[in-house]
């Protein structure tokens, strides 16, 4: 499922973001947020390939909400690049997390 | 009512049914792929303008209005929105256009019935957001007093997308309306909205469709 693959890539992007955007040493929460969110997103996406956990990617929505909220309100504007990155990636993840290529094919009439 | 116009069981359903008043299936790939391509073009243009606002590129290309583009992208209105959203308005626009493409790609060619929530989300991304962005661009021309060629291109794309997406959104809304009329139950409309298959919803859908010629 292509959306899950994109989510893994975005998770990896979050994990390398502190080095790309050169977060300051004082921004501990931003470092932690990038690492934790990235790790969780990639984990949920990979877990979704395992049938019993196929809806795990929906948990990514919660992580995405955190990213947008923390990115927007975690600092005064104008926001530092690392925070803006969290907003953008959060919004991207929201769109991908609810996407699923196939629909009702497996469903039965009840 | 022909049994084979039914949507369930999905394995045996005809996915490419026509929905009057149109002569086509609004969820067909031939309808959706052009939307996705156009939306991706707008994504690239908006991302380019966002790169200017972030000063990743130093200048913004404008063959018609020249310097005016920069004045629009650096205008007080743009700065105001940057203050509100935390990211530049062009970046938000790029995300919205990308959303149009992603939501355009998801789902089968009978998704107007199987996943109305997705079609309606797609519709919200395309129609109100598209109209708002088109109005904003015109407002920049009239209030800020300068025009920006690429902004006008994306506004034109927004309006084209509204026109192209409206049939599919109409199909999903009509299905929900018919389910409500048939069952008189808000819960049934909700179940149809999230795509849970049940008898009266499928009958309502079958009532809407014709076989493709």
């Amino acid at each position: 499922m292509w959306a899950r693959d994109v989510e893994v890539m975005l998770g990896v992007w979050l994990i390398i973001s502190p080095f790309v955007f050169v977060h300051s040493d004082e921004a501990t929460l931003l470092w932690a947020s990038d690492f934790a969110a990235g790790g969780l997103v990639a984990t949920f996406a990979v877990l979704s390939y395992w049938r019993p956990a196929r809806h795990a990617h929906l948990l990514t929505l919660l992580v995405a909400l955190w990213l947008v909220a923390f990115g927007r309100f975690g600092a005064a504007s104008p926001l530092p690049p690392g925070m803006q990155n969290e907003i953008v990636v959060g919004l991207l993840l929201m769109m991908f997390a609810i996407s699923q290529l196939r629909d009702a094919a497996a469903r039965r009439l009840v | 009512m022909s049994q084979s116009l039914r949507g369930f069981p999905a394995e045996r359903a005809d996915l490419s049914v026509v929905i009057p008043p149109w002569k086509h299936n609004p969820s067909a790939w031939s309808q959706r792929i052009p939307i996705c391509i156009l939306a991706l073009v707008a994504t690239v243009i908006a991302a380019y303008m966002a790169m200017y606002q972030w000063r990743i590129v130093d200048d913004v290309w404008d063959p018609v209005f020249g310097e005016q583009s920069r004045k629009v992208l650096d205008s007080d209105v743009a700065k105001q929105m940057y203050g509100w959203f935390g990211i530049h308005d062009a970046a938000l626009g790029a995300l919205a256009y990308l959303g149009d493409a992603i939501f355009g790609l998801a789902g089968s060619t009978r998704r107007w019935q199987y996943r109305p929530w997705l079609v309606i989300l797609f519709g919200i991304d395309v129609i109100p957001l598209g109209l708002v962005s088109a109005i904003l661009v015109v407002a920049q021309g009239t209030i800020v007093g300068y025009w920006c060629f690429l902004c006008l291109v994306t506004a034109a794309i927004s309006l084209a997308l509204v026109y192209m997406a409206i049939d599919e959104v109409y199909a999903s809304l009509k299905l929900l309306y018919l389910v409500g009329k048939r069952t008189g139950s808000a819960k049934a409309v909700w179940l149809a909205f999230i795509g849970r298959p049940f008898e009266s919803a499928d009958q309502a859908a079958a009532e809407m469709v014709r076989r493709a010629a």
Side-chain angles (χ1 to χ4, degrees), chain A residues 9-84:
Chain A
M9 290 188 270
L10 287 172
V12 172
W13 170 254
L14 279 173
I15 292 170
I16 63 168
S17 284
F19 311 103
V20 175
F21 293 97
V22 203
H23 295 349
S24 78
D25 290 340
E26 289 86 62
T28 327
L29 195 53
L30 185 54
W31 279 80
S33 173
D34 277 354
F35 285 146
L40 285 173
V41 166
T43 307
F44 294 149
V46 172
L47 264 181
S48 300
Y49 279 103
W50 182 45
R51 207 174 152 68
R54 64 190 177 283
H55 297 305
H57 63 93
L58 292 176
L59 293 170
T60 293
L61 273 178
L62 298 177
V63 181
L65 277 176
W66 158 260
L67 285 172
V68 173
F70 175 68
R72 175 65 189 84
F73 300 108
S77 68
L79 299 170
M83 302 291 269
Q84 296 195 29

Side-chain angles (χ1 to χ4, degrees), chain B residues 39-204:
Chain B
L40 285 175
V41 170
T43 306
V44 171
I45 297 174
Y48 169 68
M49 294 191 286
M51 280 164 67
Y52 170 71
Q53 290 182 314
W54 272 317
R55 294 297 187 278
I56 296 169
V57 294
D58 294 326
D59 199 0
V60 62
W61 178 79
D62 190 326
V64 183
F65 304 107
E67 298 213 327
Q68 295 191 23
S69 265
R70 269 180 287 167
K71 289 182 176 157
V72 169
L73 294 174
D74 294 334
S75 66
D76 290 340
V77 179
K79 287 194 186 110
Q80 180 68 259
M81 285 197 275
Y82 184 51
W84 287 337
F85 301 130
I87 59 174
H88 288 292
D89 52 345
L92 265 189
L95 286 165
Y97 288 119
L98 184 63
D100 292 348
I102 295 169
F103 298 143
L105 283 172
S108 72
T109 53
R110 199 167 168 149
R111 64 174 189 164
W112 60 268
Q113 176 184 358
Y114 294 157
R115 281 199 282 179
W117 65 268
L118 178 63
V119 174
I120 288 167
L121 190 63
F122 168 71
I124 292 172
D125 196 355
V126 175
I127 299 169
L129 283 181
L131 293 177
V132 165
S133 72
I135 290 167
L136 271 180
V137 166
V138 175
Q140 292 210 333
T142 50
I143 297 169
V144 180
Y146 299 107
W147 294 95
C148 148
F149 176 70
L150 290 175
C151 310
L152 289 173
V153 172
T154 55
I157 292 179
S158 284
L159 294 177
L161 290 174
V162 170
Y163 174 74
M164 291 162 87
I166 216 157
D167 51 355
E168 195 179 21
V169 178
Y170 170 84
S172 283
L173 290 175
K174 184 177 176 187
L175 172 68
L176 297 183
Y177 169 74
L178 287 178
V179 169
K181 208 171 89 169
R182 189 178 277 267
T183 60
S185 144
K187 188 170 174 240
V189 174
W190 168 251
L191 290 177
F193 176 73
I194 63 170
R196 271 281 290 279
F198 58 97
E199 184 63 31
S200 44
D202 197 27
Q203 279 171 9

